[in-house]
Amino acid sequence: MSRPLVMGVLNVTPDSFSDGGRYLDRDRALERGLQMLAEGADVIDVGGESSHPGAAPVSEAEELRRVIPVIEALAPIVRVSVDTVKPAVAEAALSAGATLLNDISATLWPIAAANGVGWAAMHMKGTPLTMQDDPRYDDVVGEVHAFLVDRANRAAEAGVPEVWIDPGIGFGKTASHNLSLLRHLRVLVASGFPVLVGTSRKAFLGRLAAAPGEDPAPVSARQPGSISTATWAMLAGAAMVRVHDVAPTFQAATLVGATRLLPDLVPHFGRGSVVGPERPGTGEP
Ligand code: HH2
């Protein structure tokens, strides 16, 4: 059954905005990676430097120390991507077994081309230090689309065998920029490059979906918004979503895949069913 892919986030950092410090230890990171695999992750995205607004930069040596042992342990078992902007870390991660560069700087495609691996180009306005200081666009969807298609074409021409594009939700964008990009995600999908989207636990969810008296919603309360926006993205054609909460997102991805199998012109019930009748006698609706 064709379904969108699920990329599980594994931040081997002390300061990531939602899970900082939880998986800094190699064994705990490995355990978390295996847990996400068991929950249905298709790719584990290993990162050693946080990119949340204002995050402190990490030295190359420290980033290598964080991510390489984890990639070495996970890569024989599951597909691993590395979330880095440093060429030396990208090269070392590929040598350790990663097969996808998750590149929020959208600059590392020559390394992907030279190594014959996948590359995901993300759009970001500015740098993590300054990107949320009053970001402005005339046409956010048009600008993000033009940037990503230009980078993706360059990568494809350079010989990168697998090129992903990602609108970079929360990277130099206000809540309404993020919503516009989600609403018009089909514009990116129509480019023909597979689209990756990461909304998981991000600040705009905390602002837009806060419970009464709770503005913003704490990171721990953002799972419903994360799953609903991931589902929205998958229904709009995203081929992969990057998430912290793998199990519920895997279920959503499976259901999105199942709805794609239904022939368009057949009524909701009756002859068009592709999943067969519900099991009788379970007492479940
Ligand atoms: N978002 C984050 C990091 N890397 N990569 C892609 N391709 N798309 C994203 O939307 C994206 C990304 C930020 O989330 P997280 O890794 O949880 O936080 P932090 O940067 O604080 O480690």
Side-chain angles (χ1 to χ4, degrees), residues 187-238:
V187 173
L188 297 186
V189 172
S191 71
F193 291 103
V195 172
L196 166 65
V197 176
T199 59
S200 190
R201 301 182 183 173
K202 286 187 177 169
F204 80 114
L205 300 174
R207 284 197 43 220
L208 293 170
E214 190 182 63
D215 186 11
V219 168
S220 60
R222 296 179 192 168
Q223 197 194 83
S226 303
I227 294 161
S228 47
T229 48
T231 306
W232 171 281
M234 293 187 283
L235 287 170

Side-chain angles (χ1 to χ4, degrees), residues 181-275:
L181 287 162
L182 288 173
R183 180 178 167 86
H184 299 289
L185 199 68
R186 286 188 185 283
V187 173
L188 297 186
V189 172
S191 71
F193 291 103
V195 172
L196 166 65
V197 176
T199 59
S200 190
R201 301 182 183 173
K202 286 187 177 169
F204 80 114
L205 300 174
R207 284 197 43 220
L208 293 170
E214 190 182 63
D215 186 11
V219 168
S220 60
R222 296 179 192 168
Q223 197 194 83
S226 303
I227 294 161
S228 47
T229 48
T231 306
W232 171 281
M234 293 187 283
L235 287 170
M240 182 152 66
V241 288
R242 180 181 183 277
V243 298
H244 301 85
D245 301 299
V246 169
T249 313
F250 176 78
Q251 191 173 108
T254 304
L255 289 168
V256 168
T259 60
R260 283 184 190 156
L261 289 181
L262 291 172
D264 276 350
L265 297 176
V266 176
H268 299 304
F269 31 81
R271 289 189 309 119
S273 172
V274 293
V275 288

Side-chain angles (χ1 to χ4, degrees), residues 3-231:
R3 61 161 174 81
L5 300 176
V6 177
M7 172 186 266
V9 179
L10 185 52
N11 287 318
V12 192
T13 60
D15 59 343
S16 287
F17 78 96
S18 82
D19 55 0
R22 293 184 65 183
Y23 311 114
L24 194 51
D25 173 76
R26 176 199 171 274
D27 291 344
R28 288 185 64 190
L30 185 52
E31 200 182 309
R32 176 68 184 146
L34 294 176
Q35 183 189 10
M36 289 194 288
L37 173 63
E39 290 175 353
D42 300 285
V43 180
I44 305 290
D45 188 40
V46 179
E49 179 175 47
S50 171
S51 51
H52 70 78
V58 173
S59 74
E60 192 175 284
E62 176 59 15
E63 196 177 330
L64 287 167
R65 194 190 65 74
R66 291 177 186 175
V67 299
I68 298 304
V70 177
I71 294 172
E72 277 172 349
L74 287 175
I77 310 165
V78 58
R79 185 170 196 198
V80 172
S81 60
V82 61
D83 186 351
T84 189
V85 297
K86 295 190 182 72
V89 175
E91 297 273 13
L94 297 180
S95 301
T99 59
L100 177 60
L101 294 183
N102 177 21
D103 178 9
I104 67 165
S105 72
T107 59
L108 300 178
W109 76 88
I111 297 176
N115 288 276
V117 298
W119 177 66
M122 197 198 75
H123 177 274
M124 168 164 54
K125 195 175 181 80
T127 65
L129 206 58
T130 57
M131 65 190 181
Q132 289 307 101
D133 300 345
D134 194 23
R136 284 168 194 244
Y137 301 81
D138 290 329
D139 167 11
V140 66
V141 176
E143 287 174 42
V144 168
H145 174 267
F147 172 84
L148 290 173
V149 169
D150 173 63
R151 293 294 165 106
N153 280 331
R154 286 203 235 174
E157 279 159 26
V160 179
E162 175 191 354
V163 178
W164 293 79
I165 57 173
D166 181 331
I169 298 295
F171 284 82
K173 281 126 194 152
T174 62
S176 66
H177 294 143
N178 294 327
L179 288 181
S180 292
L181 287 162
L182 288 173
R183 180 178 167 86
H184 299 289
L185 199 68
R186 286 188 185 283
V187 173
L188 297 186
V189 172
S191 71
F193 291 103
V195 172
L196 166 65
V197 176
T199 59
S200 190
R201 301 182 183 173
K202 286 187 177 169
F204 80 114
L205 300 174
R207 284 197 43 220
L208 293 170
E214 190 182 63
D215 186 11
V219 168
S220 60
R222 296 179 192 168
Q223 197 194 83
S226 303
I227 294 161
S228 47
T229 48
T231 306

